[in-house]
Amino acid sequence: MGMSVKVSNALYGELYLKRTTTPPDAVMSAKLRLSGCGRNCKGPSVQASNHDRLPPTPPTLLLSKACFKYAAKFLRNLLACLSNGAEMTIYMYGDDPDPPPLSIHLLRNTIRKIRRFYKGGSPRQQILILLGWLFLLYAIFRTHQYLFAKPSTPFLLCETATHERPYRIPLPKQPDKESLSRTWKTLQAIYKAHPPQPLDLTLKHFKSVADFPALEDIKNHTHISGEDARVSRESHVAVTQKLLPYPDQLFSGQGIVMLAGGRYTGFGTTGLGMLREVGSKLPVELWVKDEKEENEQWCKELAKEGVACRRLSDYMDTEMLEHGYQLKISTILFSSFEQVLFLDADNVPVKSLDGIFQSKSFTNTGVIMWPDYWKHSGAPLLPYIVGLSDGPSEMLREDQTAESGQLMWDKKRHWKALCLAAYYNYYGPQHYYTMISQGWAGWGDKDTFLLALQSLRENFYMVPHQLRTLFVNGTHHGIGMLQADPTKTAGYEPMFLHSNIIKWSIRRFFCSGCADDEEDPVALSAWEDPKSSIHPHLTKHHRIFPLEDMKSMQIDPEPLIWKSFEHVACRSVWQHAELCNRTRDHMEQTFAYEFPRSGVSPIVGGGDQICRWTD
């Protein structure tokens, strides 16, 4: 006897579907209920949501993704109804306020034909049909184990992990150490011969960092004599006149440069992992200060992913540097790449970076800078010293400062500006860092690059989109700065998450008893510290990034960041059983990742699994 199955009203979920047709980020809802099929087909109430890409297809595929994949109970009940000869009508609504009903008969008719053939067949045919069904069930089990898992929100499709990254990227060439060392010694001699004055400039902080300093406060905050200013200006002129020409034979190609070492190594494991998770195939140079900060086993691991380890101590005497801020410029200077994208170790890409060197913003100027929150607070004598004015001036006051957690630089086109920025950093802690910020926000190297370009009147591109702050889900506590994609000039689209507040390191999230670690001591991890803004998210297994913000920006990097975490904690030279278990537990309960550990033979799909978003 035929039965009618009407689907409406009980399986409820918002399906965040990224389509290839307009509207680009439509939100579609589905309310479904099974009825009329007897007690075995009472509709379950299941919530499902996902960021998924759907091609422009008829509603049949939408039904398949919205119902079959994300509601295993619904699928099993549906199969039971159809095998009893039931008919089904599905009502879906979203963009269309009054969509037509969709009748599906294919699955029902297929099952009906198989049942008839089975009943009328010989014993041999029945055995073959049973074997066929067993093989089909085995194939479904191997390829669709996720259907029998308990889905959480959002649901991710799992694949058996290969425990290896998907790319084989050639390593960047080895820099010419001898030639670069000679180049640096020549530059260093020029810098030493022409120091600014005074070399013991006192750093005084403003009373408040909450409000931008008033003009009068900026004018009178840092005092240097007129004579010191004149000597500093003369030294600056001499340096710019003696800067070396570009050494054509030393640099080539394009790639990413990152500085790690100490606690920044933990941040770098996440950043480098995400670089490959988002699909970037750019080669990378990972720099550390010296041999003490280098992990040889990790470098061997990274080499398989196109990441080469470098030591600054092979090119210069790093002991003469007073502050870590002086290291960044050196990594760009000594890198084998002619065109560099520098990333801080705590900078997490949220999309592939592979087209960035071909963007008009870069090809037209050779430098891309990203804006910081505030305007310039430099001393009025700074423009005079660097040759921008003939006397004290407030001309920099309205300039936007730069945020150098990411920086693009063509060394061939802007070699002298790079060497001049190296001069500012050479005397940064003693003089230039204080002249540039005067002890307000941003003391350090970040605006030395911009100042060098301005001093030499060289072109650059400042990304026009103001950065955005990403907050911890459900709080007003910041995570980091979301910087825009420079290839998108029409509107803001995020490309980088510079995690300047919450550092994405698996040790800082989950490590316990790590206060005595020599390389990266962690007094209290966020998992241990109830005062941490992300403590409840880790212990109660909630998302850290607000899902609504991710929807509005059409990104969702957090599941991939956790995948990178899992790789570090469970599969790398940094693997640690306790960290691995806590990481996987959070991933399973928050994002529906699957990590079967039952020891089942691989022939039936046993072993660890990694989940991914479906394309």
Side-chain angles (χ1 to χ4, degrees):
M1 182 176 68
M3 297 184 183
S4 174
V5 180
K6 289 192 176 179
V7 181
S8 63
N9 264 349
L11 175 68
Y12 172 74
E14 288 187 350
L15 310 173
Y16 306 125
L17 307 176
K18 292 183 182 177
R19 299 184 175 185
T20 56
T21 58
T22 56
D25 190 21
V27 176
M28 181 156 297
S29 301
K31 289 190 178 181
L32 307 170
R33 182 178 63 201
L34 285 171
S35 62
C37 280
R39 63 182 180 179
N40 292 328
C41 289
K42 291 180 180 177
S45 178
V46 181
Q47 288 191 349
S49 68
N50 186 29
H51 288 266
D52 202 1
R53 187 176 299 279
L54 285 182
T57 56
T60 309
L61 181 59
L62 179 60
L63 172 69
S64 172
K65 288 184 176 290
C67 303
F68 293 171
K69 186 186 296 184
Y70 305 123
K73 285 185 178 181
F74 175 78
L75 176 58
R76 291 196 293 267
N77 291 338
L78 179 62
L79 289 175
C81 292
L82 293 175
S83 65
N84 289 324
E87 294 185 0
M88 180 178 65
T89 304
I90 310 268
Y91 293 93
M92 304 291 288
Y93 67 90
D95 301 321
D96 186 351
D98 187 23
L102 169 70
S103 296
I104 295 183
H105 301 280
L106 179 61
L107 186 58
R108 174 183 60 80
N109 290 337
T110 302
I111 295 175
R112 180 182 294 173
K113 288 177 181 179
I114 293 175
R115 290 180 65 200
R116 287 177 179 172
F117 183 73
Y118 178 79
K119 288 181 179 178
S122 65
R124 182 177 179 181
Q125 290 174 326
Q126 291 177 343
I127 291 174
L128 290 174
I129 291 173
L130 287 173
L131 290 174
W133 272 108
L134 288 173
F135 177 79
L136 180 61
L137 290 173
Y138 169 74
I140 293 173
F141 176 76
R142 285 295 306 270
T143 58
H144 294 79
Q145 296 180 57
Y146 59 84
L147 287 175
F148 306 98
K150 196 171 184 178
S152 67
T153 305
F155 191 91
L156 296 92
L157 180 64
C158 291
E159 288 187 331
T160 301
T162 62
H163 305 317
E164 303 213 10
R165 303 285 187 187
Y167 309 122
R168 292 294 179 270
I169 302 167
L171 285 170
K173 74 171 189 178
Q174 181 69 35
D176 185 339
K177 295 181 182 179
E178 186 176 345
S179 297
L180 284 170
S181 295
R182 284 200 304 268
T183 299
W184 171 248
K185 287 178 181 177
T186 303
L187 287 171
Q188 187 179 24
I190 296 171
Y191 300 160
K192 282 185 174 181
H194 304 286
Q197 295 296 325
L199 282 180
D200 55 352
L201 196 59
T202 302
L203 173 62
K204 297 184 299 180
H205 293 283
F206 286 92
K207 294 180 180 179
S208 172
V209 295
D211 301 310
F212 190 73
L215 178 59
E216 288 304 314
D217 292 335
I218 287 178
K219 283 182 177 180
N220 302 316
H221 192 72
T222 301
H223 177 73
I224 64 174
S225 68
E227 177 62 18
D228 283 343
R230 184 189 63 79
V231 171
S232 296
R233 181 183 172 96
E234 290 178 353
S235 294
H236 190 276
V237 171
V239 169
T240 57
Q241 292 175 344
K242 295 179 181 180
L243 291 175
L244 301 178
Y246 178 71
D248 283 293
Q249 72 283 2
L250 292 184
F251 311 113
S252 63
Q254 304 165 335
I256 295 172
V257 170
M258 181 178 286
L259 175 64
R263 63 192 179 97
Y264 288 94
T265 294
F267 311 153
T269 60
T270 307
L272 290 174
M274 272 296 286
L275 184 69
R276 298 309 182 215
E277 292 294 347
V278 297
S280 178
K281 300 179 184 179
L282 288 168
V284 180
E285 290 182 348
L286 179 71
W287 289 80
V288 294
K289 182 179 179 181
D290 50 34
E291 188 176 4
K292 292 184 293 185
E293 293 191 344
E294 185 179 63
N295 185 298
E296 186 177 351
Q297 294 303 313
W298 188 39
C299 289
K300 289 180 180 178
E301 233 176 52
L302 291 175
K304 300 175 184 178
E305 302 178 28
V307 180
C309 291
R310 310 275 194 242
R311 295 190 296 254
L312 281 171
S313 57
D314 292 342
Y315 304 83
M316 65 185 301
D317 178 14
T318 56
E319 295 304 317
M320 49 81 60
L321 300 177
E322 297 181 21
H323 201 286
Y325 286 137
Q326 297 173 283
L327 298 175
K328 180 186 295 188
I329 185 74
S330 303
T331 65
I332 300 174
L333 197 67
F334 297 138
S335 167
S336 67
F337 301 127
E338 183 172 88
Q339 295 180 338
V340 171
L341 167 59
F342 180 89
L343 295 179
D344 276 355
D346 56 1
N347 201 326
V348 178
V350 300
K351 64 190 298 186
S352 178
L353 312 179
D354 285 6
I356 197 169
F357 286 102
Q358 289 72 47
S359 67
K360 288 184 179 180
S361 307
F362 185 69
T363 57
N364 288 345
T365 64
V367 169
I368 297 181
M369 312 281 297
W370 278 261
D372 212 327
Y373 288 107
W374 51 82
K375 300 291 185 180
H376 211 291
S377 60
L381 277 171
L382 180 63
Y384 169 74
I385 290 172
V386 302
L388 291 174
S389 66
D390 295 329
S393 171
E394 287 82 43
M395 62 183 298
L396 296 176
R397 178 174 169 80
E398 295 304 316
D399 284 359
Q400 187 69 45
T401 56
E403 193 275 295
S404 61
Q406 55 289 305
L407 170 70
M408 293 191 69
W409 201 282
D410 185 331
K411 292 197 282 191
K412 186 173 185 178
R413 295 168 65 178
H414 296 282
W415 173 251
K416 288 194 174 182
L418 185 65
C419 293
L420 184 57
Y423 171 69
Y424 297 154
N425 280 275
Y426 190 81
Y427 292 109
Q430 306 102 314
H431 185 88
Y432 274 104
Y433 294 167
T434 300
M435 286 293 292
I436 291 172
S437 75
Q438 296 201 91
W440 200 63
W443 188 91
D445 65 306
K446 72 183 198 69
D447 286 303
T448 58
F449 301 93
L450 183 58
L451 186 64
L453 292 165
Q454 292 172 319
S455 174
L456 297 179
R457 276 77 171 176
E458 295 186 6
N459 291 332
F460 62 92
Y461 178 78
M462 176 68 81
V463 174
H465 308 297
Q466 183 61 36
L467 66 90
R468 299 184 183 182
T469 302
L470 183 63
F471 294 95
V472 175
N473 189 17
T475 77
H476 296 291
H477 298 285
I479 296 173
M481 300 175 283
L482 277 170
Q483 290 283 14
D485 183 346
T487 68
K488 310 294 184 182
T489 56
Y492 174 91
E493 293 185 25
M495 177 172 271
F496 304 101
L497 171 60
H498 187 189
S499 307
N500 62 322
I501 302 174
I502 293 180
K503 308 290 188 180
W504 285 81
S505 159
I506 190 61
R507 288 170 53 80
R508 293 180 180 274
F509 274 43
F510 281 138
C511 197
S512 58
C514 298
D516 297 328
D517 187 272
E518 293 183 2
E519 294 185 2
D520 185 14
V522 180
L524 276 179
S525 67
W527 182 75
E528 296 173 298
D529 184 6
K531 296 181 180 179
S532 169
S533 61
I534 61 172
H535 175 76
H537 301 73
L538 298 179
T539 55
K540 297 179 182 179
H541 305 296
H542 296 158
R543 294 177 65 103
I544 296 174
F545 295 168
L547 191 55
E548 287 301 314
D549 290 350
M550 300 299 99
K551 273 179 54 184
S552 67
M553 292 183 283
Q554 300 188 34
I555 60 170
D556 193 11
E558 189 176 353
L560 291 180
I561 294 177
W562 281 97
K563 186 178 176 184
S564 181
F565 270 7
E566 193 272 346
H567 180 84
V568 173
C570 307
R571 310 169 192 275
S572 73
V573 297
W574 312 103
Q575 61 184 328
H576 186 282
E578 182 181 43
L579 294 181
C580 180
N581 288 334
R582 288 176 184 169
T583 302
R584 288 182 169 181
D585 181 54
H586 182 76
M587 292 169 71
E588 287 175 333
Q589 298 196 52
T590 309
F591 303 103
Y593 278 88
E594 288 185 348
F595 302 99
R597 307 179 187 87
S598 60
V600 182
S601 171
I603 197 170
V604 292
D608 293 338
Q609 291 187 341
I610 288 293
C611 302
R612 62 175 176 82
W613 294 107
T614 53
D615 294 325

